[in-house]
Amino acid sequence: MSRIAARFAALKADGRGGLIPFLEAWDPDGATSMALLRGMPAAGADLIEIGMPFTDPMADGPIIQAAARRGLIAGVKVRFILDMVREFRKDDQATPIILMGYLNPILSYGPQKFCEDAGQAGVDGMIIVDLPTEEADLMLPHATANGIDFIRLVAPTTDDVRLPHVLNGSSGFVYYVSITGITGTRSASSADLAAAIPRIRKVTDLPIAIGFGVRTPAQAAEASKVADAAVVASALIETMAAHLDEDGKAKPGTVELVLAQVRALADGVRGR
Amino acid sequence: MNQPLPPAALNSLRSGPSDRGRFGEFGGRFVAETLMPIVLAVEQAYAEAKKDPQFQADLAWHLTHYVGRPSPLWFAERLTKRLGGAKVYFKRDELNHTGSHKANNCMGQILLARRMGKTRIIAETGAGQHGVATATMCALFGLPCTVYMGATDVERQAPNVFRMKLLGAEVKAVTSGAGTLKDAMNEAMRDWVANVEDTFYIIGTVAGPHPYPMMVRDFQSVIGEEAKVQMQAAEGRLPDVAVACIGGGSNAMGLFHPFLDDTSVRLIGVEAGGHGIETGQHAASLTGGRPGVLHGNRTYLLQDEDGQIIEAHSISAGLDYPGIGPEHSWLHDIGRVEYVSATDNEALDAFQLCTQTEGIIPALEPAHALAYVTKLAPTLDKDQIILMNLCGRGDKDIFTVAAHLGVKL
């Protein structure tokens, strides 16, 4: 069983939904984001999403755009992100890692080589924002061959006719983009989520994670209850961004602050 | 049994793209899932409109009576004499309403948006020509319009910003990246994702997800189709060479596409060489880039070794883009179109030459095409013909040019 499937099975046995915190690789530098990654499981992360910086993140709002820019200024490369995962796996064999990014850096690295290297580094899943089902054949065979789940985005605009087509060949879990919009802008209402998730459940047995607009422990608790997991990104990055010094370096205690926020979110999904 | 394709279609270079929106390996639909349904809806709506004689008649009527088509074909006699070689003809798309070829495409797309029942229009713009054309059509049809423009471009194209505002458009300055066309397009895409229900995105060039490269090409092909007929009337034959400048490549595709199967006609696209290709500060995606994916399509891009997009540079805001339409990438790879470049300084020289010899102030964009024509014409015989697309007028550029010439206005 894959790490992702095993983790969702364990969550189900626990009778709760999961928390998926997000960090942007090398925001604001390699050491800080590595420390954050290492600290996340103990803070209550059930799965972890790592953002791969890109110069032109078209689905992201200002908060994640800025995080990507900090990562790029710090000198992040695709191979350094795989190094982070390899390093993380030395101590943690259980927590699933999902890479989320845009296609061009992966294309430049080479789709096959990327999937081989990512699989060996210990990556469990990937989400490529600008690779819709219509173009998925570019990556899917390589992902499958290397045991990496190809996680699909489903949006409110994905209608019932299109839904089975979008989920065809998807594995791991389904990422529900809960708003029509970019990251870090607004949140879906409870009514929207209550309507959307059963619609997806009709078409798939895969677990569903809700992302875009999940910010607070209460929202994370609700999303993880309606679905199977909640992704929190912009709210954590905001905390990081608020504690950078004039040179863009993290002030002492920043990692701990973000991890404390992860802990509060984790308490939320655990109903504490 | 499958019907065999008619021989004309088999041999034609004009039959693309495939139903996946591919020109060879280029093109496609690389957008987030949120946008996929609308992209597919635009594709379907356009396919229906294309076949609908009423839509075509409506478009033709508006092009004639509002945009001012056909644009004239002008024999640039004094310029020809000065260059001392081939005869140079201008296809005068700068005489369109709004001052550039952009009106052809905007008229087509806004008619489609209306047909789809969309009530809000967004656009990106570099030089502001596409923004002005979009704002103009929105004023004509009474639709609210938001134009995204890089902050750098807002500054260097101030007259067009004011023009758009006068026309009732909201101009949003984009400060991310270098604040140029690429960043404006990112921001327009973000707007579209958030307002996909009521909003139509009028993309200004032959790029973006399928069907945009095809659709914009179709709307711009009126340039080449007219020129072909006009050339026959003027000279009784086709030109030997057709030349156009290229940023995203819409005016060039509009000129070239009707000539693709006329193998006697050399087609030359002129990219923006900025400070010179060797300096790395340029916007020549084909000359200095490699294939990748940006803004919904696979095409040649300026990018570093890790797939991060590199900022383009050009004196011309309209050419300042690190990508190029996917059909151009394909035509480049199969060798049907030659792609060259002209620097900022060469364009400035051509700008002045055109103004002084022909009494036409060209935009800095076609000044790049002219810069190459000034090199090419003297190498050709006097009975040979160069057709150049003069795709925009230069009123918007006089401040930039004055600054470069050290003149204070």
Side-chain angles (χ1 to χ4, degrees):
Chain A
M1 194 188 282
S2 75
R3 276 190 208 100
I4 293 177
R7 180 52 54 100
F8 276 105
L11 287 167
K12 197 166 189 181
D14 280 0
R16 67 171 176 94
L19 174 69
I20 312 180
F22 174 102
L23 65 101
E24 188 80 7
W26 283 50
D27 172 28
D29 53 57
T32 307
S33 77
M34 191 66 220
L36 194 54
L37 176 61
R38 271 190 218 282
M40 278 185 170
D46 296 302
L47 299 84
I48 300 170
E49 218 178 275
I50 302 178
M52 303 174 67
F54 181 49
T55 41
D56 296 83
M58 274 168 292
D60 286 306
I63 298 163
I64 297 185
Q65 285 176 42
R69 194 157 52 242
R70 289 191 294 268
L72 290 171
I73 289 169
V76 71
K77 308 275 179 220
V78 170
R79 62 180 187 278
F80 298 163
I81 302 170
L82 299 181
D83 289 345
M84 279 177 77
V85 179
R86 203 171 289 118
E87 193 63 27
F88 176 82
R89 280 277 169 257
K90 287 181 182 167
D91 311 318
D92 189 320
Q93 283 297 322
T95 311
I97 299 274
I98 295 111
L99 298 184
M100 184 165 190
Y102 293 81
L103 182 59
N104 201 54
I106 295 172
L107 264 188
S108 180
Y109 193 96
Q112 182 175 353
K113 187 172 185 313
F114 177 80
C115 291
E116 287 168 2
D117 292 357
Q120 279 164 12
V123 171
D124 303 290
M126 61 182 182
I127 303 170
I128 304 173
V129 178
D130 53 352
L131 191 70
T133 297
E134 279 71 7
E135 305 288 353
D137 55 354
L138 199 64
M139 292 299 296
L140 188 55
H142 306 304
T144 308
N146 291 282
I148 298 174
D149 283 321
F150 196 78
I151 295 158
R152 296 292 169 79
L153 299 170
V154 169
T157 52
T158 314
D159 66 18
D160 290 342
V161 178
R162 182 169 166 75
L163 201 46
H165 172 59
V166 169
L167 294 177
N168 181 22
S170 97
S171 59
F173 61 89
V174 175
Y175 189 122
Y176 181 63
V177 175
S178 66
I179 51 157
T180 49
I182 51 176
T183 54
T185 49
R186 51 204 176 85
S187 304
S189 70
S190 307
D192 286 346
L193 293 181
I197 303 305
R199 189 166 76 84
I200 304 170
R201 293 239 194 260
K202 268 191 230 160
V203 203
T204 181
D205 295 329
L206 290 173
I208 301 168
I210 295 176
F212 285 48
V214 184
R215 303 180 56 83
T216 64
Q219 285 171 332
E222 189 193 358
S224 71
K225 224 169 270 158
V226 179
D228 303 295
V231 181
V232 181
S234 295
L236 295 172
I237 290 173
E238 259 178 335
T239 302
M240 165 79 79
H243 291 86
L244 300 176
D245 65 21
E246 284 163 5
D247 300 327
K249 295 280 168 214
K251 291 178 188 162
T254 302
V255 170
E256 291 70 20
L257 269 173
V258 179
L259 290 177
Q261 198 177 352
V262 172
R263 207 164 287 122
L265 292 160
D267 285 347
V269 303
R270 285 169 176 80
R272 292 202 285 249
Chain B
M1 227 180 88
N2 287 336
Q3 291 285 322
L5 283 170
L10 265 182
N11 296 327
S12 178
L13 295 176
R14 303 184 62 192
S15 55
S18 71
D19 54 7
R20 287 186 67 179
R22 300 294 178 94
F23 304 92
E25 64 171 302
F26 302 104
R29 287 176 287 222
F30 296 90
V31 295
E33 172 59 23
T34 313
L35 285 180
M36 253 335 274
I38 181 70
V39 163
L40 293 171
V42 171
E43 180 185 346
Q44 194 187 341
Y46 177 61
E48 287 163 13
K50 196 173 175 175
K51 284 185 299 197
D52 180 354
Q54 208 165 348
F55 177 85
Q56 294 298 346
D58 197 21
L59 174 59
W61 188 89
H62 280 95
L63 288 179
T64 303
H65 299 283
Y66 189 73
V67 176
R69 300 212 71 92
S71 68
L73 182 74
W74 172 249
F75 173 42
E77 199 170 355
R78 291 192 68 222
L79 178 72
T80 297
K81 274 192 190 126
R82 175 77 73 92
L83 297 177
K87 292 171 94 167
V88 179
Y89 278 85
F90 290 154
K91 177 61 176 163
R92 301 213 39 205
D93 253 54
E94 101 280 9
L95 289 175
N96 287 338
H97 182 40
T98 76
S100 79
H101 70 290
K102 295 294 185 188
N104 307 330
N105 168 49
C106 287
M107 185 56 85
Q109 285 198 50
I110 203 159
L111 292 179
L112 184 66
R114 278 160 57 85
R115 193 182 158 100
M116 292 178 73
K118 298 295 179 185
T119 54
R120 175 176 176 263
I121 300 293
I122 57 169
E124 84 294 339
T125 197
Q129 296 299 80
H130 175 59
V132 166
T134 305
T136 298
M137 303 315 163
C138 286
L140 176 65
F141 291 108
L143 292 177
C145 175
T146 301
V147 178
Y148 290 91
M149 187 169 188
T152 306
D153 293 339
V154 166
E155 229 164 89
R156 62 177 162 172
Q157 301 287 342
N160 271 345
V161 174
F162 185 56
R163 217 165 269 149
M164 284 184 271
K165 288 181 177 168
L166 284 174
L167 289 160
E170 177 190 20
V171 180
K172 287 199 174 169
V174 179
T175 51
S176 60
T180 59
L181 183 52
K182 164 177 88 89
D183 312 296
M185 198 148 177
N186 286 337
E187 213 53 38
M189 289 271 192
R190 290 181 186 121
D191 180 311
W192 205 22
V193 166
N195 299 289
V196 68
E197 282 304 313
D198 65 347
T199 299
F200 190 97
Y201 180 13
I202 298 188
I203 295 181
T205 191
V206 285
H210 177 64
Y212 282 93
M214 168 183 78
M215 179 165 71
V216 177
R217 173 201 75 195
D218 290 350
F219 290 141
Q220 293 294 3
S221 289
V222 66
I223 300 170
E225 278 154 15
E226 285 175 7
K228 227 171 165 172
V229 174
Q230 291 166 323
M231 209 74 225
Q232 287 289 355
E235 294 277 351
R237 67 182 186 90
L238 296 178
D240 297 284
V241 191
V243 183
C245 65
I246 298 198
S250 71
N251 93 82
M253 193 54 70
L255 180 68
F256 295 166
H257 200 258
F259 289 103
L260 285 182
D261 290 333
D262 299 300
T263 49
S264 68
V265 182
R266 265 178 83 188
L267 303 174
I268 302 176
V270 186
E271 296 191 289
H275 295 316
I277 303 295
E278 68 288 350
T279 66
Q281 290 186 296
H282 59 84
S285 322
L286 288 174
T287 313
R290 62 189 173 90
V293 166
L294 180 70
H295 294 152
N297 62 111
R298 187 171 195 168
T299 194
Y300 275 79
L301 299 172
L302 301 180
Q303 55 181 317
D304 71 11
E305 76 293 339
D306 212 45
Q308 303 294 344
I309 307 304
I310 295 172
E311 302 289 352
H313 167 81
S314 172
I315 188 174
S316 145
L319 304 181
D320 206 346
Y321 182 68
I324 184 165
E327 195 166 6
H328 283 295
S329 291
W330 175 66
L331 291 167
H332 169 266
D333 278 14
I334 65 169
R336 175 62 186 97
V337 180
E338 302 162 50
Y339 294 89
V340 298
S341 65
T343 65
D344 288 353
N345 286 334
E346 289 168 337
L348 278 167
D349 289 345
F351 177 96
Q352 294 171 82
L353 179 69
C354 186
T355 306
Q356 288 155 12
T357 57
E358 294 297 326
I360 298 171
I361 301 177
L364 281 171
E365 289 80 15
H368 284 73
L370 187 60
Y372 189 74
V373 168
T374 64
K375 289 186 198 169
L376 179 68
T379 69
L380 301 178
D381 292 338
K382 289 194 168 162
D383 60 352
Q384 289 187 292
I385 301 168
I386 298 174
L387 166 64
M388 190 199 101
N389 195 12
L390 190 60
C391 63
R393 64 173 177 241
D395 311 44
K396 69 183 174 65
D397 292 315
I398 56 171
F399 300 98
T400 305
V401 173
H404 279 271
L405 299 180
V407 177
K408 231 181 174 153
L409 295 183

